[in-house]
Amino acid sequence: MADQSIEILLNELRRSEQTVRDREELARRNEETTRKFFEIEKRILSILNYKDLFEVLLAEIKKKFGMPSAWISIIDKSEVTSFIEQLESSEAIKKHMNIIDKNTFLKLVGTKTTPLLINNNLKAYSKLIPRQDKYSIRSMAISPISLDGEIIGSLNQAHISPEHFKPGLDTSSLEQLAVKVSFCLSNVTAHEKLKFLAYSDPLTGLLNRRAMESALKREFSREKRYQRTLSVVFIDLDDFKSVNDVHGHDLGDELLKYVATQLLDISRDTDVVARFAGDEFIVILPETSARSAIKLMSRLKDYFLSYPLNTAGTSIPVSISFGVASTEDKSIENPAMLLKKADEMLYKAKAAMKRN
C-alpha cells in the first residue's frame, strides 16, 4: 500500500514537472515570437515608401516565421489604392497583394480590428487569397490594417498546417504587428502625398516642370545606352488668353484640365506627360520617331476640333499647336537641346498658323 502511494506521489511529481517544463517552453516560444515581431517592427518603422514597406514586411514574416505565404489585401478605392500603380514594377507586390471590393472584404472580415484565425471553410475566403496560394493553405490569420482610423485592408498569413492558426490561439502579437503596419501606412501615405505635391501640378495632376526635366534626363540617358529613338512634343494652346478674358479664369482652368485629361488618355504607360508652364504641356515619348509623334499629335488636334470643351452650359473650342523634336536629329547632344528644339518647332508652327 505504501509503495502504491509512493508511486502515485511520483506520478504527480512527474506531471507537475512536465507542466512546469511545458509552461517554460510556452514562455520561451512566446518570448521568441515577441522578439521576432519586434525585429520586424524595427525594420519597417523607418520606411517611407509603399514598395519597400510591403516587400520588407512580407519577406521578413516569411523568413523569421518560416511562413509559407504572406500577402496584403487592400480595399478597392481606399486612399492607398491611388498609389498602388507605383508598385507595378515590383514582382513581389504583384504576387503578394490583391485588391478586393469593400463590401466583399467587410462581409468576410467585418469591422473589428482583432485578427481573425481560420482553419476551416477556407473556400469562403477565396476572394481574399492570391491565386497561387488558394490550394495549398490549411489555416490563415487575417489581421485588419487601417489608415487614419479607417480599415483599408488586411495583413494575411497562411500555413499548410490546420493547427498553425487554429481559432482560440493568442493573437496579441499579430494585432500588435497590424497596429505597427497601420502606423507605417500613415507615415508612408503622408510622405507619398508630399512627394506627389512636390512633383505634380496641383491643377491638372500632371507632372510639373521639375519632375519632367528629371524624367527627360532619365529617358535621354536610356536612349543613348540602348540606341533607341526618343521624341519630345512641346504643346501650346492657341488663343488661351482670350478664353480667360472672355470666359474667366475658372473656365480657363477647366480647359487646361480637359487638355491634360486627353493627353493622358492618348499616352502609353511609358510616356511622360507634364504641364510645363501656363498653357504649355510637354509629352516625352520613348521609342517613338518624330513621324509617329507628329501623327499622334495630329490626331489629338483633330479630336479637339471635333470635341470642344462643354462646361457650365458653355462650349469652348480647343485648338493646339505643337512642335516635335527627336534624337533622330544627331545634332542633339543632351536633354536640354532636345527640349529647346521642340520649343523651336512649336514656335515655327505658331508662326505658320498666324500667316495662314
Side-chain angles (χ1 to χ4, degrees):
M1 189 70 177
D3 291 342
Q4 187 176 8
S5 297
I6 292 173
E7 184 62 31
I8 292 174
L9 288 172
L10 287 173
N11 287 336
E12 287 293 335
L13 181 59
R14 293 189 190 101
R15 283 195 292 269
S16 178
E17 291 175 343
Q18 184 61 47
T19 299
V20 170
R21 286 195 295 270
D22 289 344
R23 288 176 178 173
E24 289 176 345
E25 176 61 21
L26 179 60
R28 188 195 65 77
R29 288 202 303 267
N30 288 341
E31 184 179 347
E32 179 69 9
T33 298
T34 300
R35 182 185 64 79
K36 290 178 179 179
F37 275 119
F38 179 68
E39 290 175 353
I40 293 174
E41 291 167 11
K42 285 199 302 182
R43 285 292 311 276
I44 65 174
L45 282 173
S46 61
I47 295 175
L48 290 176
N49 68 82
Y50 286 109
K51 179 178 180 293
D52 289 346
L53 173 62
F54 292 142
E55 284 190 348
V56 170
L57 173 64
L58 299 177
E60 286 293 303
I61 287 174
K62 290 183 177 182
K63 181 176 72 173
K64 292 191 180 300
F65 294 101
M67 195 62 57
S69 183
W71 71 97
I72 301 285
S73 295
I74 296 294
I75 294 176
D76 193 18
K77 295 181 175 61
S78 65
E79 189 170 2
V80 174
T81 54
S82 63
F83 294 98
I84 295 300
E85 291 79 6
Q86 302 172 20
L87 306 177
E88 289 183 350
S89 62
S90 168
E91 289 299 321
I93 295 303
K94 285 181 182 179
K95 291 180 180 179
H96 303 297
M97 175 180 287
N98 65 340
I99 306 298
I100 184 168
D101 174 74
K102 183 175 183 178
N103 290 332
T104 302
F105 181 89
L106 294 178
K107 184 177 179 181
L108 293 173
V109 182
T111 58
K112 295 182 179 180
T113 57
T114 307
L116 183 63
L117 304 183
I118 306 159
N119 66 352
N120 59 60
N121 194 26
L122 290 171
K123 187 176 180 180
Y125 293 84
S126 60
K127 291 185 178 179
L128 201 66
I129 305 172
R131 184 179 302 174
Q132 69 271 13
D133 297 319
K134 285 185 178 180
Y135 306 104
S136 59
I137 65 176
R138 295 295 178 267
S139 66
M140 61 187 291
I142 304 171
S143 304
I145 52 178
S146 59
L147 180 63
D148 300 329
E150 180 181 353
I151 293 177
I152 52 93
S154 59
L155 167 62
N156 312 297
Q157 302 176 56
H159 205 275
I160 57 176
S161 168
E163 300 298 313
H164 197 89
F165 291 119
K166 183 179 179 181
L169 295 177
D170 180 27
T171 62
S172 57
S173 293
L174 292 172
E175 188 169 3
Q176 180 181 340
L177 179 61
V179 169
K180 290 297 193 302
V181 172
S182 298
F183 176 77
C184 290
L185 277 174
S186 181
N187 284 344
V188 170
T189 301
H191 184 76
E192 292 288 358
K193 284 180 178 178
L194 286 175
K195 190 165 67 174
F196 176 80
L197 291 173
Y199 289 97
S200 299
D201 170 55
L203 176 66
T204 63
L206 299 178
L207 294 180
N208 59 22
R209 180 172 178 173
R210 174 186 176 188
M212 180 278 299
E213 290 175 345
S214 176
L216 181 57
K217 288 180 181 178
R218 182 188 67 238
E219 293 301 332
F220 194 88
S221 296
R222 186 176 297 171
E223 183 276 335
K224 290 299 181 185
R225 187 182 309 121
Y226 298 108
Q227 296 298 305
R228 294 172 179 172
T229 303
L230 173 67
S231 290
V232 169
V233 184
F234 216 125
I235 301 168
D236 178 82
L237 302 191
D238 300 326
D239 299 320
F240 180 68
K241 184 178 182 301
S242 66
V243 174
N244 281 332
D245 292 343
V246 174
H247 301 287
H249 288 279
D250 286 345
L251 284 186
D253 287 349
E254 288 298 317
L255 178 57
L256 292 173
K257 289 190 282 187
Y258 178 59
V259 172
T261 299
Q262 301 311 314
L263 284 171
L264 288 175
D265 283 347
I266 68 166
S267 65
R268 305 163 299 182
D269 290 341
T270 54
D271 298 338
V272 176
V273 183
R275 184 183 179 191
F276 188 75
D279 60 328
E280 296 175 326
F281 298 86
I282 300 290
V283 183
I284 301 172
L285 300 167
E287 300 187 38
T288 304
S289 65
R291 182 178 180 182
S292 295
I294 291 170
K295 288 175 64 176
L296 179 66
M297 290 301 114
S298 296
R299 288 201 302 270
L300 180 64
K301 189 177 179 73
D302 291 342
Y303 175 89
F304 283 136
L305 291 175
S306 300
Y307 297 96
L309 170 65
N310 293 301
T311 181
T314 303
S315 180
I316 302 177
V318 184
S319 176
I320 64 170
S321 296
F322 63 87
V324 174
S326 166
T327 53
E328 293 166 309
D329 182 347
K330 299 308 177 183
S331 68
I332 294 175
E333 299 177 351
N334 55 58
M337 290 179 67
L338 185 62
L339 191 61
K340 183 179 179 182
K341 182 68 175 182
D343 189 21
E344 291 172 356
M345 298 304 292
L346 169 63
Y347 179 81
K348 289 182 179 179
K350 299 283 280 188
M353 183 184 70
K354 288 179 180 179
R355 289 196 299 270
N356 296 331

